[in-house]
Amino acid sequence: MIRSRLFSARSWPVLEGVGCWTPLARVSPRPGRLLPQHASPRLLSVSCVDCTKHQEPPRKKLLSEKKLKRHFVDHRRVLVRGGRGGDGVSCFHSEPRKEFGGPDGGDGGYGGHVILRVDRQVKSLSSVLSQYQGFDGGAGGRKNCFGRSGAILYIQVPVGTLVKEGNKVLADLSHPGDEFIAALGGAGGKGNRFFLANSNRAPTTCTPGQPGQERVLFLELKTVAHAGLVGFPNAGKSSLLRAISNARPTVASYPFTTLNPHVGVVHCEDHQQIAVADIPGIVRGAHQNRGLGLAFLRHIERCPFLLFVLDLSVPEPWTQLDDLKYELEQYREGLSERPHAVVANKVDLPQARAQLPQLQARLGREAIALSAATGENLEGLLLHLKELHDDHVAAELERGRQPLRW
């Protein structure tokens, strides 16, 4: 009796170890008869191998902020589409003892917008995809229920992003938290309740949701900083930025130029922070887009004051300042007339120190002679940088504008 009761009960899955288990087919053998050997579950190791075959393929790992700097992108073409609106519903009210309930089809929900939002943690446009599709709205329901509206899709962009459509500038996202609606979501469709009228008491008409707005936008990044280091390649701009801030642009003992702009923050005694941008080296003819001229000059436009870095180790270093101002003026009128200071770098070299008096006489103004490699006279540069920043803050307050805070 005991054996008969056991086998007449429902067959439960057999566990093997602690891992995967395989359910058995429902078997009801006769009393006194053992289970057949071929009905035993598969081994645990075989089951685990089968489980791994059906696992999802590994996804691409997200790049860290350090690796993103190697893939610096300052322009991007983006196709954005707003979410489609939900469809309206055609239905009639149904209730016991109520024969003519009337139409009660609800409207569809609105499609979700696509919005560009400035995030201070984002440093490049490399994380922006080539196209975005907003979330669709839900369809309407019975009892005059409206459909669910689509969620808003936010695209995180860095500070200083310029939004263009063709040649027209749509937005200048230059402050943290700024937002711009890139694509509007579509309107929801109307249910048959919307078409109820005295002439038509039982409408069956309903409309579908409208498609969202579709646009092709061009995003252009212009680095936002207080001061911009402007100079020819191998003038020592990256080394100078490493010496006065915690930024770590790549430097080496052989000549090469930086390809991506870097921003370092200088901390002052009164808890003020001055952002200094290392602009990649400018070459002669940069305003004619020689090399990557326009891509480099674009990052200087937002800097309210400049630091011209001259290399004292080359013959006739005073000609560098005239060439740099010429390139800036040809790119944009008035750019070379902004408040600036002249920095004479590599003064630790004997041939460079010998040319310093002649440089001072040619310029007609005092140049800040220093060495980024040894740290000589960096205090003089920081004091002059603080004066330029204070003058900029005072000028912005007089105009009734809030100065840039990093």
Side-chain angles (χ1 to χ4, degrees), residues 127-329:
S127 59
V128 178
L129 303 180
S130 58
Q131 59 179 342
Y132 287 91
Q133 172 66 49
F135 296 99
D136 297 338
R142 291 179 174 273
K143 299 181 181 180
N144 300 320
C145 292
F146 285 81
R148 174 186 53 83
S149 296
I152 297 177
L153 177 61
Y154 289 98
I155 305 175
Q156 308 296 336
V157 296
V159 180
T161 302
L162 203 65
V163 184
K164 295 182 178 180
E165 187 175 16
N167 296 326
K168 181 181 179 181
V169 178
L170 301 180
D172 187 1
L173 307 178
S174 57
H175 296 88
D178 288 352
E179 294 182 355
F180 172 73
I181 301 179
L184 294 172
K190 301 297 182 181
N192 63 338
R193 173 71 180 181
F194 177 81
F195 298 96
L196 179 63
N198 292 330
S199 59
N200 187 5
R201 304 303 299 173
T204 59
T205 305
C206 62
T207 59
Q210 299 296 320
Q213 186 182 14
E214 180 176 337
R215 309 170 79 175
V216 177
L217 301 179
F218 295 91
L219 305 183
E220 183 178 299
L221 176 61
K222 296 181 180 180
T223 305
V224 177
H226 295 107
L229 297 176
V230 183
F232 286 109
N234 305 314
K237 300 182 298 298
S238 299
S239 300
L240 182 59
L241 186 63
R242 290 171 66 100
I244 63 177
S245 69
N246 290 329
R248 289 295 175 264
T250 304
V251 296
S253 57
Y254 51 87
F256 74 99
T257 183
T258 304
L259 297 179
N260 304 323
H262 297 266
V263 179
V265 179
V266 179
H267 298 271
C268 303
E269 295 181 354
D270 51 355
H271 304 286
Q272 288 186 351
Q273 295 179 344
I274 305 175
V276 181
D278 174 20
I279 309 300
I282 300 175
V283 298
R284 292 178 175 86
H287 68 280
Q288 300 174 351
N289 204 18
R290 182 173 298 175
L292 294 176
L294 296 182
F296 293 165
L297 292 171
R298 178 169 59 243
H299 297 281
I300 308 177
E301 292 186 42
R302 298 186 185 272
C303 300
F305 50 92
L306 307 174
L307 296 177
F308 291 101
V309 182
L310 308 182
D311 186 1
L312 277 180
S313 62
V314 299
E316 299 182 354
W318 50 87
T319 59
Q320 300 179 31
L321 182 61
D322 298 333
D323 294 337
L324 290 174
K325 287 187 174 182
Y326 175 77
E327 296 297 333
L328 296 183
E329 193 67 23

Side-chain angles (χ1 to χ4, degrees), residues 60-68 71 126:
K60 184 178 180 181
K61 295 182 178 180
L62 298 177
L63 294 176
S64 62
E65 185 66 24
K66 182 177 181 181
K67 291 182 179 179
L68 283 176
H71 307 280
S126 58

Side-chain angles (χ1 to χ4, degrees), residues 243-245 266-268 274 368 370 377-388:
I244 63 177
S245 69
V266 179
H267 298 271
C268 303
I274 305 175
I368 305 174
L370 54 83
N377 198 25
L378 288 180
E379 295 82 2
L381 172 63
L382 295 178
L383 291 176
H384 202 89
L385 187 64
K386 182 66 168 54
E387 294 178 1
L388 290 174

